[in-house]
Amino acid sequence: MESLFTNEQQKPLADRIRPKQLSDFVGQEKAVGRGSPLREMIERDKLQSVLFFGPPGTGKTTLAHVIANVTGNRFVTVNAVNSGIPELRKLIARAEDDCRCGLFRTIVFIDEIHRFNKAQQDVLLPYVENGTIILIGATTENPFFEINSPLLSRMKVIRLEKLAPQELKEILLRAVRDSENWFGSSFKIDEDALDILADYAAGDARSALNMLEQAEFMLANGNRVVTAETLRNIIGIAMQRYDKKGDQHYDIISAFIKSMRGSDPDAALHYLARMIEGGEELRFIARRIVICAAEDVGLADPMALVIANAAAQVADFVGWPEAQIPLAEAVCYIANAPKSNSTYMGIESARTDVRTRNCGNVPVYLRDASYHGAKLLGHGIGYKYVHSFGGWAEQQYLPDELKDAKYYVPSGNGQDAGVKFKKKMK
């Protein structure tokens, strides 16, 4: 028996309803709204090489497909995960042939372009520069760290932001209105479920549409309405409303940091879990953990910063869901560590003086004496090299105007005991 589904029907909903025209594209007004440079280039078919940079589900691939539909150029899709230099050279050779024959230019769309190594990116460089290909890259990573500078300088970086809940609701409603083509006319979604879905998807249209599609699968025949209860069964967890740009965002991160500072690992893990389940950005969480290790543990246990930084790197490397493990390890270590903010208070005090006081000049004997003529200016004369005195020598390092200033005040907690060794001058 033949399947009742066409290949089109077997595609995920997010792919099936992907807009084909700019007028159907929702959100990203700053990047592609009327009057924007990118929109002008697309509508006039004068596209230059561009790089779409933004979180998942914000429209990077969709914009590339819109460009494919509205321009008169040949469009080739490359996935950086499973493509190499031979594939690139093959498509470039065809693009060169098309250019020589005066046919059309070739647009090359590379999804996850950050996964290309330096050699692969370098292959593209001359052909982007001479116009043989128009390159469209898409990445979730910061291109200024992940893309070679020469290639990046020849592309216009277009940053796409997470979609607002209202924009996600519009996309979901379009899918429901068009559902007769996919699910039948009886498929609906109530207002509460729409709000929850738009909020829970956290700016990711693909995620929202995937959950809507799962909801449809769960509903029986007849009057099929997606409700909050339907979504609860799909998500499988209590649907905490976590607005990452609202008050709860700041309240939860504040409670998270204060719980680590207050040496309560249970509370710290609870707020970590709420951020993870709320879809908080991994690097945002990791940055707060690293800052807490430096600010609140500090010299009382210097290993806290080492562990926090290692956890941040590992979490970024492995991604969700495994990233929760190193993050939780760092959170518990920080919560259990002795606390000292002596270095934080020290730099704050020092900066206050720099901003508000006459700090004077560097003492002459501490100034750079490495260049010709420096000693004629007195630089370095009288400087006591501490290793010639057993590791410590009585000497003034601060300018005269600040010679009595005290910025670092050891807390006495853990290892934060200050300088333990001073050899008194005879």
Side-chain angles (χ1 to χ4, degrees), residues 399-414:
D400 287 339
E401 289 82 352
L402 298 173
K403 64 180 181 180
D404 295 322
K406 297 293 181 185
Y407 300 122
Y408 169 56
V409 180
S411 68
N413 294 335

Side-chain angles (χ1 to χ4, degrees), residues 244-313:
K244 290 186 286 182
K245 292 186 178 179
D247 290 341
Q248 252 209 352
H249 165 78
Y250 297 104
D251 289 344
I252 289 177
I253 194 63
S254 174
F256 175 58
I257 293 168
K258 288 171 182 173
S259 297
M260 287 190 289
R261 181 185 296 147
S263 299
D264 190 332
D266 297 314
L269 287 174
H270 167 75
Y271 292 116
L272 174 63
R274 287 179 69 166
M275 288 188 289
I276 293 172
E277 296 302 329
E280 185 57 84
E281 182 186 2
L282 190 158
R283 289 186 177 183
F284 175 82
I285 298 173
R287 282 196 298 268
R288 308 324 295 179
I289 295 172
V290 170
I291 291 168
C292 187
E295 177 181 344
D296 294 307
V297 177
L299 293 178
D301 184 353
M303 278 302 297
L305 182 57
V306 176
I307 289 172
N309 186 58
Q313 293 180 6

